[in-house]
Amino acid sequence: MTKRDISWDDIRVFLAYLRKGTVANAAHELKISAPTISRRMNALQEALGFPLLVRSPQGLELSDRAQL
């Protein structure tokens, strides 16, 4: 896996996810598909080189590193 440049669009999608709380709600707000939201969030994590989200019994949560 190679790092790539960070896309402002990927950041915009991630911030929408944080504001809305779910991929579906972020997709609705941005008027793009839920799979596109997921792809963009994955691309941002790849570009940063660390996970922003982790799965928990409560759903997706910010990783420890993302909370800094």
Side-chain angles (χ1 to χ4, degrees):
M1 183 180 341
T2 61
K3 288 187 183 179
R4 63 177 186 86
D5 290 335
I6 295 172
S7 163
W8 285 110
D9 284 332
D10 294 347
I11 294 170
R12 180 178 64 94
V13 165
F14 182 65
L15 291 175
Y17 169 79
L18 291 177
R19 279 193 310 272
K20 295 299 181 176
T22 68
V23 168
N25 289 343
H28 180 71
E29 176 181 284
L30 297 175
K31 297 176 178 52
I32 58 179
S33 71
T36 298
I37 295 286
S38 296
R39 280 193 302 274
R40 289 210 173 258
M41 290 197 311
N42 287 335
L44 179 58
Q45 293 178 108
E46 183 178 323
L48 292 171
F50 62 88
L52 294 169
L53 301 169
V54 292
R55 292 207 182 274
S56 76
Q58 292 76 33
L60 290 175
E61 295 183 352
L62 284 175
S63 69
D64 290 340
R65 190 148 181 209
Q67 293 182 36
L68 297 176

